[in-house]
Amino acid sequence: MTVVFDSLQWPDDSEAVVQFLVSNEWPFHGRPNLSVGEAASVSVADDDTRAFWILDSDTRVGLIRLIDLADLGTGSPMFDLRIAESHRGRGIGNLAVRWLTDHLFSTYQAAYRIEATTRADNVAMQAVFDRCGYRLEGRFVEAWVNADGTRSDALSYAILRREHPH
């Protein structure tokens, strides 16, 4: 497996982003199945957001969105990680979280901490956070509203710049 991370080119990659988002199920996101319109409204490039393709041998296997970049001096960037269904369970999540952590701390000197949130039943993502040095900071009971109207607990993770090995 040869995984690389490539900056998404907007608007050139807009159709590829929509295709990637609608052709996979996202069971641990607010909407597990996105329509074309919903996928087209996912922000991937603005003053606050940057996005990167995760490539394995030139095949797009994932998408990373770095969010809340505009207020790095006072806030904490977050991220959205999506791995294509056919490529889950291969360790790509670990590589992606390590890469994005390195990228944020090396590119944005004002970044002091990085936050992440996942559903309490997303055991695989919790394991990724643990392996990548993120700390569980809190549990928000029934804070995550699922597409069907049910609620799940949300878990908050973070890593500080001083905790990250350089």
Side-chain angles (χ1 to χ4, degrees):
M1 175 168 55
T2 305
V3 175
V4 296
F5 303 89
D6 188 32
S7 185
L8 189 140
Q9 302 303 309
W10 193 257
D12 296 347
D13 285 341
S14 60
E15 288 183 35
V17 169
V18 170
Q19 180 59 34
F20 180 79
L21 292 173
V22 300
S23 64
N24 289 278
E25 183 174 358
W26 311 106
F28 297 108
H29 284 76
R31 295 207 160 281
N33 297 292
L34 296 174
S35 69
V36 169
E38 290 166 333
S41 70
V42 172
S43 176
V44 293
D46 59 33
D47 291 342
D48 210 31
T49 308
R50 300 287 179 278
F52 299 85
W53 289 114
I54 304 169
L55 304 170
D56 183 7
S57 302
D58 295 325
T59 299
R60 291 177 176 145
V61 299
L63 178 68
I64 299 170
R65 292 186 316 128
L66 304 178
I67 307 164
D68 294 338
L69 297 174
D71 59 341
L72 283 174
T74 58
S76 302
M78 298 184 76
F79 62 88
D80 175 34
L81 173 62
R82 296 179 189 246
I83 309 293
E85 289 175 86
S86 60
H87 295 278
R88 294 177 191 157
R90 298 178 48 216
I92 294 171
N94 292 315
L95 296 172
V97 171
R98 284 190 182 103
W99 178 85
L100 72 86
T101 304
D102 290 341
H103 176 75
L104 281 166
F105 284 142
S106 64
T107 305
Y108 301 95
Q109 294 307 308
Y112 180 76
R113 59 182 271 129
I114 302 167
E115 293 180 15
T117 305
T118 191
R119 275 188 4 199
D121 57 343
N122 191 348
V123 178
M125 196 66 211
Q126 292 171 53
V128 167
F129 288 138
D130 289 340
R131 284 191 290 273
C132 294
Y134 282 66
R135 167 186 60 272
L136 177 63
E137 291 192 326
R139 178 183 207 99
F140 303 95
V141 178
E142 297 182 6
W144 193 295
V145 179
N146 300 306
D148 64 2
T150 61
R151 292 182 168 268
S152 297
D153 290 0
L155 302 178
S156 176
Y157 285 81
I159 188 169
L160 303 177
R161 177 183 290 278
R162 65 179 162 79
E163 297 169 328
H164 179 62
H166 294 76

PDB file of all heavy atoms in Angstrom, residues 1 5 8 25 37 68-69 72 75 79 84 112-113 115 143 155 160-161 164 166:
ATOM      1  N   MET A   1       0.856  -1.177   0.000  1.00  0.00           N
ATOM      2  CA  MET A   1       0.000   0.000   0.000  1.00  0.00           C
ATOM      3  C   MET A   1       0.899   1.237   0.000  1.00  0.00           C
ATOM      4  O   MET A   1       1.738   1.407   0.869  1.00  0.00           O
ATOM      5  CB  MET A   1      -0.911  -0.034   1.240  1.00  0.00           C
ATOM      6  CG  MET A   1      -1.760   1.169   1.413  1.00  0.00           C
ATOM      7  SD  MET A   1      -3.090   1.047   2.650  1.00  0.00           S
ATOM      8  CE  MET A   1      -2.249   0.561   4.130  1.00  0.00           C
ATOM      9  N   PHE A   5      -1.129  11.912   0.022  1.00  0.00           N
ATOM     10  CA  PHE A   5      -2.181  12.894   0.251  1.00  0.00           C
ATOM     11  C   PHE A   5      -1.979  14.030  -0.731  1.00  0.00           C
ATOM     12  O   PHE A   5      -0.883  14.575  -0.836  1.00  0.00           O
ATOM     13  CB  PHE A   5      -2.122  13.373   1.711  1.00  0.00           C
ATOM     14  CG  PHE A   5      -2.245  12.226   2.660  1.00  0.00           C
ATOM     15  CD1 PHE A   5      -1.122  11.539   3.098  1.00  0.00           C
ATOM     16  CD2 PHE A   5      -3.487  11.799   3.087  1.00  0.00           C
ATOM     17  CE1 PHE A   5      -1.223  10.448   3.948  1.00  0.00           C
ATOM     18  CE2 PHE A   5      -3.599  10.707   3.932  1.00  0.00           C
ATOM     19  CZ  PHE A   5      -2.472  10.033   4.359  1.00  0.00           C
ATOM     20  N   LEU A   8      -6.809  18.822  -2.867  1.00  0.00           N
ATOM     21  CA  LEU A   8      -7.959  18.827  -3.764  1.00  0.00           C
ATOM     22  C   LEU A   8      -7.943  20.142  -4.551  1.00  0.00           C
ATOM     23  O   LEU A   8      -7.679  21.194  -3.976  1.00  0.00           O
ATOM     24  CB  LEU A   8      -9.230  18.719  -2.912  1.00  0.00           C
ATOM     25  CG  LEU A   8     -10.524  18.507  -3.640  1.00  0.00           C
ATOM     26  CD1 LEU A   8     -11.379  17.516  -2.858  1.00  0.00           C
ATOM     27  CD2 LEU A   8     -11.261  19.800  -3.803  1.00  0.00           C
ATOM     28  N   GLU A  25     -21.337   4.672   1.428  1.00  0.00           N
ATOM     29  CA  GLU A  25     -22.179   4.867   2.601  1.00  0.00           C
ATOM     30  C   GLU A  25     -21.292   5.336   3.742  1.00  0.00           C
ATOM     31  O   GLU A  25     -20.173   4.851   3.923  1.00  0.00           O
ATOM     32  CB  GLU A  25     -22.891   3.569   2.994  1.00  0.00           C
ATOM     33  CG  GLU A  25     -23.829   3.763   4.158  1.00  0.00           C
ATOM     34  CD  GLU A  25     -24.651   2.537   4.478  1.00  0.00           C
ATOM     35  OE1 GLU A  25     -24.533   1.521   3.760  1.00  0.00           O
ATOM     36  OE2 GLU A  25     -25.396   2.584   5.458  1.00  0.00           O
ATOM     37  N   GLY A  37     -27.255  16.544  -4.489  1.00  0.00           N
ATOM     38  CA  GLY A  37     -27.357  17.915  -3.979  1.00  0.00           C
ATOM     39  C   GLY A  37     -26.678  18.081  -2.622  1.00  0.00           C
ATOM     40  O   GLY A  37     -25.994  19.083  -2.386  1.00  0.00           O
ATOM     41  N   ASP A  68     -12.490  24.765  10.124  1.00  0.00           N
ATOM     42  CA  ASP A  68     -12.277  25.803  11.148  1.00  0.00           C
ATOM     43  C   ASP A  68     -10.852  26.329  11.133  1.00  0.00           C
ATOM     44  O   ASP A  68     -10.260  26.606  12.180  1.00  0.00           O
ATOM     45  CB  ASP A  68     -12.645  25.305  12.556  1.00  0.00           C
ATOM     46  CG  ASP A  68     -14.125  25.024  12.711  1.00  0.00           C
ATOM     47  OD1 ASP A  68     -14.916  25.582  11.932  1.00  0.00           O
ATOM     48  OD2 ASP A  68     -14.490  24.254  13.617  1.00  0.00           O
ATOM     49  N   LEU A  69     -10.291  26.508   9.946  1.00  0.00           N
ATOM     50  CA  LEU A  69      -8.930  27.002   9.821  1.00  0.00           C
ATOM     51  C   LEU A  69      -8.831  28.518   9.987  1.00  0.00           C
ATOM     52  O   LEU A  69      -7.760  29.036  10.298  1.00  0.00           O
ATOM     53  CB  LEU A  69      -8.347  26.605   8.459  1.00  0.00           C
ATOM     54  CG  LEU A  69      -8.205  25.099   8.224  1.00  0.00           C
ATOM     55  CD1 LEU A  69      -7.751  24.841   6.801  1.00  0.00           C
ATOM     56  CD2 LEU A  69      -7.260  24.481   9.232  1.00  0.00           C
ATOM     57  N   LEU A  72      -7.653  29.844  13.809  1.00  0.00           N
ATOM     58  CA  LEU A  72      -6.627  29.026  14.466  1.00  0.00           C
ATOM     59  C   LEU A  72      -6.043  29.680  15.708  1.00  0.00           C
ATOM     60  O   LEU A  72      -5.638  28.992  16.643  1.00  0.00           O
ATOM     61  CB  LEU A  72      -5.499  28.705  13.488  1.00  0.00           C
ATOM     62  CG  LEU A  72      -5.807  27.626  12.474  1.00  0.00           C
ATOM     63  CD1 LEU A  72      -4.667  27.509  11.474  1.00  0.00           C
ATOM     64  CD2 LEU A  72      -6.042  26.304  13.145  1.00  0.00           C
ATOM     65  N   GLY A  75      -9.196  29.246  18.218  1.00  0.00           N
ATOM     66  CA  GLY A  75      -9.975  28.020  18.219  1.00  0.00           C
ATOM     67  C   GLY A  75      -9.134  26.812  17.893  1.00  0.00           C
ATOM     68  O   GLY A  75      -7.907  26.862  17.921  1.00  0.00           O
ATOM     69  N   PHE A  79     -11.566  18.069  11.781  1.00  0.00           N
ATOM     70  CA  PHE A  79     -11.448  17.431  10.476  1.00  0.00           C
ATOM     71  C   PHE A  79     -12.574  16.446  10.259  1.00  0.00           C
ATOM     72  O   PHE A  79     -13.207  15.971  11.187  1.00  0.00           O
ATOM     73  CB  PHE A  79     -10.088  16.752  10.307  1.00  0.00           C
ATOM     74  CG  PHE A  79      -9.796  15.646  11.287  1.00  0.00           C
ATOM     75  CD1 PHE A  79     -10.179  14.342  11.037  1.00  0.00           C
ATOM     76  CD2 PHE A  79      -9.120  15.927  12.462  1.00  0.00           C
ATOM     77  CE1 PHE A  79      -9.893  13.326  11.932  1.00  0.00           C
ATOM     78  CE2 PHE A  79      -8.823  14.924  13.368  1.00  0.00           C
ATOM     79  CZ  PHE A  79      -9.215  13.618  13.105  1.00  0.00           C
ATOM     80  N   ALA A  84     -13.316   5.357   1.589  1.00  0.00           N
ATOM     81  CA  ALA A  84     -14.237   4.598   0.738  1.00  0.00           C
ATOM     82  C   ALA A  84     -14.498   3.223   1.346  1.00  0.00           C
ATOM     83  O   ALA A  84     -13.597   2.605   1.919  1.00  0.00           O
ATOM     84  CB  ALA A  84     -13.664   4.458  -0.663  1.00  0.00           C
ATOM     85  N   TYR A 112      -2.700  25.258  17.997  1.00  0.00           N
ATOM     86  CA  TYR A 112      -2.260  24.805  19.308  1.00  0.00           C
ATOM     87  C   TYR A 112      -2.824  23.427  19.635  1.00  0.00           C
ATOM     88  O   TYR A 112      -2.198  22.632  20.308  1.00  0.00           O
ATOM     89  CB  TYR A 112      -2.689  25.814  20.380  1.00  0.00           C
ATOM     90  CG  TYR A 112      -2.268  25.405  21.765  1.00  0.00           C
ATOM     91  CD1 TYR A 112      -0.948  25.540  22.171  1.00  0.00           C
ATOM     92  CD2 TYR A 112      -3.181  24.865  22.663  1.00  0.00           C
ATOM     93  CE1 TYR A 112      -0.537  25.150  23.439  1.00  0.00           C
ATOM     94  CE2 TYR A 112      -2.786  24.474  23.926  1.00  0.00           C
ATOM     95  CZ  TYR A 112      -1.471  24.622  24.315  1.00  0.00           C
ATOM     96  OH  TYR A 112      -1.071  24.229  25.550  1.00  0.00           O
ATOM     97  N   ARG A 113      -4.048  23.183  19.151  1.00  0.00           N
ATOM     98  CA  ARG A 113      -4.697  21.899  19.385  1.00  0.00           C
ATOM     99  C   ARG A 113      -5.581  21.555  18.199  1.00  0.00           C
ATOM    100  O   ARG A 113      -6.006  22.421  17.455  1.00  0.00           O
ATOM    101  CB  ARG A 113      -5.511  21.899  20.686  1.00  0.00           C
ATOM    102  CG  ARG A 113      -6.593  22.941  20.729  1.00  0.00           C
ATOM    103  CD  ARG A 113      -7.374  22.988  22.053  1.00  0.00           C
ATOM    104  NE  ARG A 113      -8.503  22.086  21.980  1.00  0.00           N
ATOM    105  CZ  ARG A 113      -8.785  21.165  22.879  1.00  0.00           C
ATOM    106  NH1 ARG A 113      -8.036  21.014  23.931  1.00  0.00           N
ATOM    107  NH2 ARG A 113      -9.822  20.380  22.733  1.00  0.00           N
ATOM    108  N   GLU A 115      -9.053  19.227  17.295  1.00  0.00           N
ATOM    109  CA  GLU A 115     -10.192  18.527  17.886  1.00  0.00           C
ATOM    110  C   GLU A 115     -10.806  17.568  16.877  1.00  0.00           C
ATOM    111  O   GLU A 115     -10.721  17.776  15.671  1.00  0.00           O
ATOM    112  CB  GLU A 115     -11.267  19.523  18.318  1.00  0.00           C
ATOM    113  CG  GLU A 115     -10.860  20.412  19.454  1.00  0.00           C
ATOM    114  CD  GLU A 115     -11.956  21.381  19.859  1.00  0.00           C
ATOM    115  OE1 GLU A 115     -13.133  21.179  19.463  1.00  0.00           O
ATOM    116  OE2 GLU A 115     -11.640  22.344  20.564  1.00  0.00           O
ATOM    117  N   ALA A 143     -25.946  13.714  21.948  1.00  0.00           N
ATOM    118  CA  ALA A 143     -25.726  14.989  21.257  1.00  0.00           C
ATOM    119  C   ALA A 143     -25.691  14.836  19.741  1.00  0.00           C
ATOM    120  O   ALA A 143     -25.831  15.813  19.020  1.00  0.00           O
ATOM    121  CB  ALA A 143     -24.413  15.620  21.736  1.00  0.00           C
ATOM    122  N   LEU A 155     -18.356  11.526  21.144  1.00  0.00           N
ATOM    123  CA  LEU A 155     -17.111  11.546  21.903  1.00  0.00           C
ATOM    124  C   LEU A 155     -16.203  12.613  21.320  1.00  0.00           C
ATOM    125  O   LEU A 155     -16.059  12.720  20.108  1.00  0.00           O
ATOM    126  CB  LEU A 155     -16.415  10.183  21.844  1.00  0.00           C
ATOM    127  CG  LEU A 155     -17.224   9.001  22.355  1.00  0.00           C
ATOM    128  CD1 LEU A 155     -16.420   7.714  22.198  1.00  0.00           C
ATOM    129  CD2 LEU A 155     -17.645   9.198  23.800  1.00  0.00           C
ATOM    130  N   LEU A 160      -2.774  18.177  21.629  1.00  0.00           N
ATOM    131  CA  LEU A 160      -2.102  19.473  21.725  1.00  0.00           C
ATOM    132  C   LEU A 160      -0.781  19.421  20.961  1.00  0.00           C
ATOM    133  O   LEU A 160      -0.161  18.353  20.855  1.00  0.00           O
ATOM    134  CB  LEU A 160      -1.816  19.829  23.190  1.00  0.00           C
ATOM    135  CG  LEU A 160      -3.013  19.876  24.125  1.00  0.00           C
ATOM    136  CD1 LEU A 160      -2.545  20.177  25.548  1.00  0.00           C
ATOM    137  CD2 LEU A 160      -4.031  20.906  23.654  1.00  0.00           C
ATOM    138  N   ARG A 161      -0.341  20.569  20.487  1.00  0.00           N
ATOM    139  CA  ARG A 161       0.925  20.642  19.768  1.00  0.00           C
ATOM    140  C   ARG A 161       2.055  20.033  20.607  1.00  0.00           C
ATOM    141  O   ARG A 161       2.862  19.262  20.095  1.00  0.00           O
ATOM    142  CB  ARG A 161       1.255  22.091  19.414  1.00  0.00           C
ATOM    143  CG  ARG A 161       2.609  22.253  18.717  1.00  0.00           C
ATOM    144  CD  ARG A 161       2.939  23.715  18.445  1.00  0.00           C
ATOM    145  NE  ARG A 161       2.092  24.287  17.420  1.00  0.00           N
ATOM    146  CZ  ARG A 161       2.288  24.143  16.102  1.00  0.00           C
ATOM    147  NH1 ARG A 161       3.311  23.436  15.667  1.00  0.00           N
ATOM    148  NH2 ARG A 161       1.477  24.706  15.238  1.00  0.00           N
ATOM    149  N   HIS A 164       2.307  16.255  20.506  1.00  0.00           N
ATOM    150  CA  HIS A 164       2.549  15.628  19.201  1.00  0.00           C
ATOM    151  C   HIS A 164       4.045  15.468  18.963  1.00  0.00           C
ATOM    152  O   HIS A 164       4.794  16.441  19.012  1.00  0.00           O
ATOM    153  CB  HIS A 164       1.933  16.496  18.098  1.00  0.00           C
ATOM    154  CG  HIS A 164       2.150  15.960  16.727  1.00  0.00           C
ATOM    155  ND1 HIS A 164       1.660  14.746  16.323  1.00  0.00           N
ATOM    156  CD2 HIS A 164       2.823  16.473  15.670  1.00  0.00           C
ATOM    157  CE1 HIS A 164       2.008  14.544  15.070  1.00  0.00           C
ATOM    158  NE2 HIS A 164       2.724  15.569  14.655  1.00  0.00           N
ATOM    159  N   HIS A 166       7.282  15.505  17.027  1.00  0.00           N
ATOM    160  CA  HIS A 166       7.654  16.217  15.785  1.00  0.00           C
ATOM    161  C   HIS A 166       8.673  15.449  15.013  1.00  0.00           C
ATOM    162  O   HIS A 166       9.613  14.968  15.347  1.00  0.00           O
ATOM    163  CB  HIS A 166       8.162  17.614  16.111  1.00  0.00           C
ATOM    164  CG  HIS A 166       7.083  18.475  16.675  1.00  0.00           C
ATOM    165  ND1 HIS A 166       6.630  18.359  17.969  1.00  0.00           N
ATOM    166  CD2 HIS A 166       6.332  19.440  16.126  1.00  0.00           C
ATOM    167  CE1 HIS A 166       5.669  19.229  18.195  1.00  0.00           C
ATOM    168  NE2 HIS A 166       5.461  19.903  17.086  1.00  0.00           N
TER     169      HIS A 166
END
